[in-house]
Amino acid sequence: MKVLSIVGARPQLVKLAPIAAAFAATDHEHVIVHTGQHYDADLSDVFFSGLGIPDPDVHLGIGSGSHGVQTGRTLAALDPVLAEQRPDWVLVYGDTNSTLAGALSAVKMHLPVAHLEAGLRSFNRQMPEEHNRVLTDHCADLLLAPTEEAMRHLAAEGLAARAVLAGDVMVDVCLRVRDTVLAGGQPRFELPEGIDPDAPYLLATLHRAENTDDPRRLATLVAALAELPVPVALLAHPRLVARADEYGIKLAGGSLHVGRPLPYAGMVAAVLGSVGVVTDSGGLQKEAYLLDRPCTTLRPETEWVETLHDDWNRLVPDPTALGGQGWVETVTRPAPSAGRGTPYGDGRAAQNVVRILAEHAR
Ligand code: UD1
């Protein structure tokens, strides 16, 4: 069997790591196509080197642009690649513009498409990621769902016959890297200047269009983080830095200390060193959950609803609505004492994915 993975953005590289390792342990052929949606070394290269992912076989060099430009360029660039490779499966990951372009290109070429992380829904039609997920699920031939909840969403949309519960490959990589970090084998990682790694700190990220692209909303969120009584390590995505510059919003100040994004092992170590996480990232919400840290999510909804059980994760669409004290109490609440089940699987999802693809190959 020949499988062609299409990736382009940071969270897809994290998911690619366990998949590439699972393929490497078999006789199947695995081809990696990087669209180049993310091109900064901090968002791309360090994930290949840090997670031991083989270099991409093809790099499309797409770069940034409006949704139409980015998706359209990727579509056009994929045609000749897929025509030449003719894989048994095109595997697309998650919910980015690279995912949608990969799925569309493959169906147009009559190549079977599998969608990893199928069935996630925020039910928020304003989010670009939601359009990408829904459209990708409806055009893919095989839907690899990470959770029972995702299976229910697919069934509700009439897609049950194409859906298989595979588990969440992010558990595979997160737990493996956690064990390396705890064994003392992690490389040094740099927290923002002014953060003492041995004193309590909160770890924060902010990058979603809904939060970064509205100047008033961005200013409110930055002010809310800056006024917290605990130092906040903000690992700033290039999108956040670009928008803050454009709107004249100063990110550093008060409790807020700004640094660059971290490689994966550094991120896991930084979560383990923190007293809690504040974020709008899907992946980081789940990493906080898997690493036993309380999370506050700066969004009105989450796709990873399992993290909300027992207050491991709390949704805060608007910090000002909680009042100063309520906001502080929310983000600084201690980790719940309740244990969690394993709603995201047992850390062997990538092997399941390879097996399911082989079983369903034409
Ligand atoms: C994308 C995904 C999102 C994912 C996120 C992870 C879409 C629609 N969104 O969001 O689902 O959670 O990646 O990071 O696909 N930029 C750089 N350097 C880079 C990449 C981006 O400077 O390497 C800046 C550019 O200003 C660019 C902006 O970030 O215009 C947005 O990048 P884009 O790829 O459109 O979306 P992300 O916000 O990264």
Side-chain angles (χ1 to χ4, degrees):
M1 173 174 71
K2 176 174 179 178
V3 176
L4 183 145
S5 283
I6 299 176
V7 292
R10 178 170 58 175
Q12 294 166 327
L13 307 181
V14 175
K15 290 161 204 162
L16 172 64
I19 294 285
F23 273 117
T26 68
D27 292 333
H28 301 304
E29 188 183 350
H30 184 221
V31 176
I32 299 174
V33 177
H34 191 323
T35 66
Q37 173 171 349
H38 283 174
Y39 43 87
D40 281 0
D42 284 352
L43 296 196
S44 179
D45 305 10
V46 296
F47 286 82
F48 280 89
S49 52
L51 293 172
I53 307 171
D55 286 343
D57 298 277
V58 181
H59 200 295
L60 304 178
I62 297 303
S64 297
S66 66
H67 292 297
V69 166
Q70 197 171 53
T71 311
R73 270 198 215 132
T74 312
L75 251 179
L78 277 171
D79 276 358
V81 176
L82 296 188
E84 190 197 325
Q85 295 282 347
R86 309 266 351 143
D88 298 299
W89 283 109
V90 172
L91 183 58
V92 295
Y93 299 64
D95 57 18
T96 73
N97 291 336
S98 297
T99 314
L100 177 61
L104 262 181
S105 176
V107 282
K108 296 285 183 194
M109 315 257 322
H110 305 295
L111 291 169
V113 191
H115 183 204
L116 184 83
E117 215 174 69
L120 288 195
R121 295 292 181 268
S122 66
F123 301 102
N124 177 352
R125 299 277 292 187
Q126 296 300 312
M127 287 176 67
E129 292 85 354
E130 184 75 354
H131 317 149
N132 292 341
R133 296 180 189 117
V134 172
L135 293 167
T136 301
D137 280 340
H138 282 260
C139 78
D141 301 279
L142 179 62
L143 302 171
L144 299 160
T147 60
E148 298 279 2
E149 179 79 4
M151 290 292 283
R152 283 190 283 279
H153 293 155
L154 293 169
E157 292 175 29
L159 299 173
R162 286 185 255 159
V164 182
L165 182 62
D168 186 344
V169 298
M170 285 189 64
V171 178
D172 306 20
V173 60
C174 184
L175 299 187
R176 175 172 68 78
V177 172
R178 175 201 63 188
D179 292 345
T180 312
V181 167
L182 292 177
Q186 98 272 22
R188 280 188 58 75
F189 64 99
E190 255 177 67
L191 285 172
E193 229 179 280
I195 296 284
D196 176 357
D198 299 319
Y201 67 87
L202 289 160
L203 191 71
T205 73
L206 202 59
H207 82 278
R208 285 201 180 275
E210 313 89 273
N211 285 335
T212 58
D213 293 8
D214 171 354
R216 289 228 328 253
R217 176 152 181 82
L218 180 58
T220 304
L221 293 175
V222 169
L225 291 169
E227 77 187 20
L228 288 169
V230 187
V232 181
L234 176 65
L235 306 178
H237 187 288
R239 178 189 200 107
L240 171 63
V241 175
R243 296 298 181 272
D245 275 356
E246 193 182 322
Y247 307 145
I249 296 170
K250 202 168 158 287
L251 291 176
S255 296
L256 206 42
H257 302 265
V258 181
R260 283 164 50 183
L262 287 172
Y264 192 75
M267 187 62 144
V268 167
V271 172
L272 288 169
S274 76
V275 292
V277 169
V278 187
T279 190
D280 61 1
S281 152
L284 191 52
Q285 287 172 55
K286 217 169 31 189
E287 279 144 8
Y289 181 82
L290 295 170
L291 299 170
D292 296 325
R293 293 298 176 277
C295 183
T296 302
T297 296
L298 299 171
R299 287 179 52 197
E301 71 278 306
T302 177
E303 298 77 13
W304 303 107
V305 290
E306 300 80 3
T307 61
L308 299 173
H309 294 162
D310 294 318
D311 209 23
W312 281 98
N313 186 12
R314 216 184 267 185
L315 297 173
V316 178
D318 177 10
T320 58
L322 297 175
Q325 196 51 31
W327 163 240
V328 171
E329 279 170 14
T330 294
V331 294
T332 59
R333 71 192 190 282
S337 51
R340 292 136 303 161
T342 50
Y344 300 113
D346 59 4
R348 282 190 291 254
Q351 286 159 283
N352 292 340
V353 166
V354 173
R355 178 180 48 77
I356 296 164
L357 288 171
E359 283 169 6
H360 287 73
R362 272 181 209 147

